[in-house]
Amino acid sequence: MTTSARRSKRTEALEQRPVNLDGFVEEWPEVGMVAMDSPYDPEPGVRVENGVIVELDGKPRAEFDFLDQFIADHAIDVEATEQAMAIPAVDIAHLLIDPRATRKDVLAVSRGLTPAKLLEVVKTMNVVEMMMALQKMRARRTPANQAHATSARDNPVQVAADAAEASLRGFRELETTLGVVRYAPLVAIALQVGAQAGTPGVLTQCALEEATELELGMRGITAYAETISVYGTEPVFCDGDDTPWSKAFLASAYASRGIKMRFTSGTGSEVQMGNAEGKSMLYLEIRCILVTKGAGVQGLQNGSISCIGVPGAVPAGIRAVLAENLIASMVDLECASGNDQSFSHSDMRRVARLLPQLLPGTDFVCSGYSSTPNYDNMFAGSNVDAEDYDDWNVLQRDLQVDGGLRHVPEAELLAVRNRAARALQGVFAHLGLPPITDKEIEAVTYAHGSKDLPPRDVLEDLKAAQSVMDRGVTGLDIVKGLDAAGFTDMAHSLLAVLRQRVSGDLLHTSAILTPELETLSAVNDTNDYAGPGTGYRPSGARWEEMKRLRHVVSAQNPEQEVG
């Protein structure tokens, strides 16, 4: 008589935990399936002759691929490199966490470090030490946050309302993308209008293929760009018909019009595309960071962007993601630090992914907090979404750390969603675009997501989107439409955003606009952290704002809510 093996009740309970739906894989260094410690990563080294780097991390110049050449010629300070490279990695790590050493002291060394040396430095550091270093190395003193505002139906009315709510909640940048790319002009206009309905000065972008994204920026229908991807191996770069020089040229096109932009990269992309050349994910990401620096771009969106499932599956993968954020900041780049894609079924693991950026603060803690429910997120879902707003606010209050957001009473949210939809209704009418009905405005005021909205006439919308491009509609036409519809304050706010491309202030490292429409950047808001009692700390009116939650009761009268 045979009997089946009896299982532990505890094992059965653990098998049902959400974390066991996640994917985990053993390391495979030969194909790059290793986070930050591959036996095939090169040893650090540099040699300079006649002011030219002739050997980089053990490779002579004759054997350089185009990333080696670009990094050697444009990213590494040839006058500082030999002295910087002579400093032991652990001493550089001590410099990073020593509050007596300033951010400027670190930058004087990091400007001369090679990719392999930067890797060696962070390999000496644990996660807590990296967070200590990131707190000092963040470019802008004041942390901020960025949101996604997208719609599974590419519904512009929904995007406008969600953008307005996100703006009012505190996000300083908003990003959208499309399921149907031809919808882009309408959705980009909706994002721009909605962003100014909440809090003035919020910057917007529409993530598309690079030619259309650039044209929308040139026309003033978007205010910044981010999805200009760089990669850590030559074959993967070539798969996109690109080189570091072509990306640098594109960056200069944005700069020529005063448009803020940053590159995008992240650990795991080369593995995902099948050409990691046996190197660790972090080593290849460091090459991307230095290509960004060499191209003269002010910042980088990194943190395993769109690839988090890859490092998230291998040992120390989330540590490597934090390390790439730190290294971007170490070389004086703005860092929009990820947390922008779903990667785990476990709420505990989602928070563990988030805390290394939230606790020390980064220039943008998320480079894509989903302002919609994740079913509407067209970036394949975010690590945090609209249903996490209250949890996020509680974390800020519990730990007194600033993640850029605030609680907003429901009445204010309903009012701003309605106002954004009505403003877009007026702009569409002014531009001769398909009408937005009062029924749509009523629905979107109270909606959670696209499932709660009436469908639009997609064919007419797509015809209208093409007409926006054919007629040469610009940001100034949107300003005129807002003014004509009676939303003069929003028109002034949008015009102030457009004026920034004349002043060029948004080209400064880590620039944002405050609600008062003043530029805040690493130039006039330099991170001055120098240990306990220094640097940015939530205080005054901001701390009082962070104390407010959906349900806070009076200490004198527990029956009365004061939140």
Side-chain angles (χ1 to χ4, degrees), residues 325-348:
N325 297 150
L326 171 58
I327 293 167
S329 298
M330 275 179 67
V331 300
D332 204 23
L333 296 173
E334 172 191 71
C335 180
S337 56
N339 285 301
D340 65 331
Q341 190 171 54
S342 299
F343 89 109
S344 178
H345 298 82
S346 164
D347 287 340
M348 184 183 293

Side-chain angles (χ1 to χ4, degrees), residues 134-183:
L134 186 54
Q135 183 171 224
K136 178 166 75 179
M137 296 311 299
R138 178 179 71 244
R140 190 186 341 102
R141 185 177 189 270
T142 309
N145 217 330
Q146 181 200 103
H148 293 158
T150 60
S151 168
R153 296 179 180 173
D154 296 329
N155 187 320
V157 188
Q158 179 192 357
V159 169
D162 283 329
E165 178 175 339
S167 172
L168 193 61
R169 288 184 179 274
F171 294 101
R172 299 316 299 162
E173 289 186 353
L174 299 176
E175 174 186 22
T176 194
T177 194
L178 293 304
V180 179
V181 174
R182 289 166 58 202
Y183 245 119

Side-chain angles (χ1 to χ4, degrees), residues 16-27:
Q16 298 305 310
R17 296 290 296 170
V19 73
N20 286 308
L21 296 173
D22 291 357
F24 303 99
V25 65
E26 64 181 357
E27 294 167 310

